[in-house]
């Protein structure tokens, strides 16, 4: 399952959430990650996020697309991570 | 074409880019928009973004999924905009 995660969280939790998401996905730009995950990994990641964030203040959106090829990505400006080279 | 836009731009350009993207898409959270666009609208929006941003400093990622139903969205924490009520 191709997964895109974008988050809008209190500044003091950004570092923790960023480190957590790096365990599952590729950093794309500030507050955005993407990558291929299994259903189990998504459930595990989501449960972990629920523990880390403040659910009354923070917002994490998890987009899932069954097939990577169904999602095209276009970059305007700086491509902060060239995902094609990310193993 | 279902479109998700996430951006990571210099603070002084955030307002301008946000106002611009509101003309095309629904604000989801800080630095994230989504919505249905035609191919022409995407081209038009992308060209406009190229004029607005600083291409050496700013980063805008545009994800396109041909069918809205191919993309599921899960929110952890605050859902800042309930897109189901956005007309």
């Amino acid at each position: 399952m191709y997964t895109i995660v974008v988050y809008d969280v209190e500044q003091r939790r950004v570092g923790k959430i960023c480190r957590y998401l790096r365990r599952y996905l590729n950093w794309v730009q500030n507050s955005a990650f993407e990558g291929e995950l299994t259903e189990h990994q998504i459930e595990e990641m989501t449960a972990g996020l629920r523990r880390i964030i403040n659910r009354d203040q923070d917002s994490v959106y998890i987009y899932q697309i069954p097939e990577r090829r169904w999602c095209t990505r276009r970059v305007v400006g700086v491509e902060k991570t060239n995902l094609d080279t990310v193993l």
Side-chain angles (χ1 to χ4, degrees), chain A:
Chain A
M1 193 78 87
Y2 203 71
T3 306
I4 301 164
V5 174
V6 295
Y7 58 86
D8 178 4
V9 303
E10 287 287 309
Q11 188 55 39
R12 63 178 178 273
R13 281 186 291 280
V14 166
K16 192 172 186 183
I17 287 165
C18 200
R19 281 189 303 277
Y20 180 74
L21 288 173
R22 277 188 193 278
R23 290 166 39 185
Y24 292 92
L25 298 166
N26 305 303
W27 181 89
V28 174
Q29 55 172 245
N30 288 339
S31 63
F33 282 76
E34 68 177 75
E36 195 70 45
L37 293 179
T38 63
E39 203 50 55
H40 173 72
Q41 287 172 314
I42 291 170
E43 294 306 328
E44 190 183 85
M45 178 188 75
T46 304
L49 284 169
R50 283 203 184 93
R51 286 193 301 272
I52 294 175
I53 70 166
N54 175 317
R55 284 190 246 169
D56 299 325
Q57 296 174 351
D58 300 337
S59 174
V60 182
Y61 278 55
I62 303 168
Y63 298 96
Q64 296 169 236
I65 302 112
E67 300 278 342
R68 169 73 187 87
R69 57 192 169 83
W70 293 355
C71 176
T72 55
R73 171 186 354 104
R74 198 190 294 213
V75 179
V76 181
V78 180
E79 182 154 3
K80 298 203 168 184
T81 300
N82 186 340
L83 287 186
D84 305 329
T85 59
V86 174
L87 301 179

